[in-house]
Amino acid sequence: MLSIKKIILLLAISALLLAGCASATEAVEEAEEPEQGSYTYADMVLCYPQLGAESDWRTANSASIKQEAENYGIKQLIFSDAQQKQENQISAVRSCIAQDVDVIALPPVVEDGWDAVLTEAKDAGIPVIIVDRSVSADPSLYDVHLGSDMFLEGQRAAEEMNRLLPDGGNIVELFGTVGSGAAEGRADGFRDVLDDNITILDSQTGNFTRAEAIPVTEAFLKKYGDEIDGMFIHNDDMAIGAIEALKAAGYNPGDIVIVSVDGTRGGFQAMIDGWIQADVECNPLLGPQVIEIALALMNGEEVDAEILTNETVYYPEDAADLIDSRQY
Ligand code: AHR
């Protein structure tokens, strides 16, 4: 039989041993979570709620993020495809907040309607990079916007249209997704610079897709026919759809001048074939910058609030030489 004294002694020894184990576990846990300022790519869980797969541009953007996540050796990429639906993107962001990711990089399908979910991310202490298109939410609700200057792209497109129609004329516009930073910015920039002697007869959305651009172009041709001298098309996928409709209606390359945006291989081929007369660049290869900015934010470093991509305009005379070097 154990005496009361021995039982008390045994209990005291067990308590001491348990306390020792607990502090050892805490030490291990502390060692697993680096101090802010010393995170590496291997610590990063990055959320990328992609908006969809509507265009070659988007496919290249998704590939860039996935490839660079691998190249930089990040711990985990949580990637989803919202199929161009804002409600799907919002659910994906909420799921990432629930998983307590390190950074959310969000390419928003439209500009409005992000305030609530961005506030939730901010309250959870998760930094947010707005990628590609812009949002109308207060800039205090996110950390950085990284992407193209869509207004400038529109201005560049108008300069090309002015050059191609020096005596003026009538044009139609194939608009991207209504309410998206890309389409609204391009449309505003275009109108800002377009010469007074060029009239925009009509503007309809093709939602940045080839499939939707075909019936819209058919309807333009039916309604305005030979009145149309030019088309401003918000991306190369819609330009390829429009060209299909023009071919089917018996048009030849150059009958209607086309200014497009993106600079995809498809756009380059259409320039070589004589259909597109100028292609304004929009660069989707944002993977390296997204991941480097994400790490800087994890480490509490200062990052510029807006980082715009340096872009150019491509022309048919250079297309054949450049097409093989295009990465998208
Ligand atoms: O936001 C970028 C735009 O989105 C690209 O111009 C277009 O191709 C894509 O769908």
Side-chain angles (χ1 to χ4, degrees):
M1 277 293 268
L2 288 170
S3 70
I4 296 276
K5 260 189 184 173
K6 275 187 184 158
I7 289 171
I8 290 171
L9 190 67
L10 277 174
L11 284 173
I13 290 168
S14 317
L16 275 173
L17 281 172
L18 280 175
C21 286
S23 58
T25 313
E26 275 160 23
V28 169
E29 275 169 5
E30 270 165 25
E32 278 172 358
E33 187 64 21
E35 297 278 307
Q36 195 185 42
S38 60
Y39 287 110
T40 68
Y41 293 114
D43 300 311
M44 183 188 297
V45 177
L46 175 69
C47 171
Y48 202 80
Q50 180 59 284
L51 68 87
E54 75 284 2
S55 62
D56 286 351
W57 189 101
R58 191 64 50 199
T59 305
N61 179 253
S62 296
S64 173
I65 297 292
K66 289 177 185 171
Q67 185 58 56
E68 300 304 337
E70 233 179 275
N71 292 350
Y72 280 75
I74 76 168
K75 186 167 163 187
Q76 193 187 354
L77 172 69
I78 301 179
F79 184 95
S80 49
D81 175 350
Q83 297 174 342
Q84 295 228 71
K85 292 198 177 79
Q86 187 181 29
E87 62 268 30
N88 293 348
Q89 267 196 306
I90 290 176
S91 304
V93 173
R94 290 212 163 105
S95 155
C96 285
I97 295 171
Q99 291 173 75
D100 195 23
V101 299
D102 294 305
V103 179
I104 296 168
L106 168 69
V109 62
V110 289
E111 287 183 289
D112 296 343
W114 296 102
D115 300 60
V117 78
L118 289 177
T119 304
E120 289 165 37
K122 194 178 170 76
D123 290 347
I126 300 174
V128 173
I129 309 169
I130 301 295
V131 183
D132 163 28
R133 304 175 183 178
S134 49
V135 291
S136 60
D138 193 275
S140 65
L141 292 178
Y142 56 90
D143 297 80
V144 184
H145 170 229
L146 162 73
S148 302
D149 185 337
M150 307 298 185
F151 188 84
L152 179 61
E153 289 178 354
Q155 290 178 314
R156 286 179 170 156
E159 278 163 16
E160 298 306 326
M161 195 60 88
N162 295 342
R163 177 182 63 80
L164 291 161
L165 298 177
D167 301 323
N170 295 317
I171 64 167
V172 289
E173 180 182 40
L174 249 172
F175 203 92
T177 301
V178 175
S180 70
E184 303 295 339
R186 286 171 192 168
D188 290 349
F190 189 75
R191 283 157 180 76
D192 185 50
V193 165
L194 193 67
D195 281 346
D196 289 344
N197 59 5
I198 300 177
T199 305
I200 303 175
L201 294 174
D202 208 338
S203 173
Q204 300 292 333
T205 181
N207 209 15
F208 283 127
T209 69
R210 287 178 201 200
E212 287 175 72
I214 296 172
V216 177
T217 306
E218 286 168 350
F220 281 153
L221 295 177
K222 201 169 164 201
K223 195 163 172 194
Y224 305 104
D226 290 344
E227 273 183 81
I228 305 172
D229 302 304
M231 293 183 83
F232 170 38
I233 305 185
H234 284 201
N235 80 341
D236 285 346
D237 282 78
M238 290 194 298
I240 290 164
I243 291 164
E244 221 177 292
L246 289 169
K247 275 185 193 165
Y251 284 78
N252 291 311
D255 286 349
I256 289 179
V257 295
I258 295 178
V259 177
S260 182
V261 184
D262 275 355
T264 61
R265 275 174 188 269
F268 270 66
Q269 191 56 55
M271 283 200 281
I272 293 168
D273 297 340
W275 288 99
I276 294 181
Q277 279 67 43
D279 205 352
V280 178
E281 184 189 19
C282 182
N283 190 340
L285 307 176
L286 301 172
Q289 280 170 293
V290 166
I291 291 169
E292 285 169 21
I293 293 168
L295 186 67
L297 293 173
M298 282 171 73
N299 282 323
E301 289 167 23
E302 278 284 313
V303 180
D304 288 345
E306 177 141 83
I307 302 172
L308 295 175
T309 314
N310 206 1
E311 293 166 338
T312 186
V313 181
Y314 296 109
Y315 298 99
E317 51 269 37
D318 307 315
D321 288 340
L322 294 176
I323 192 164
D324 289 339
S325 61
R326 299 301 295 160
Q327 290 177 61
Y328 55 95

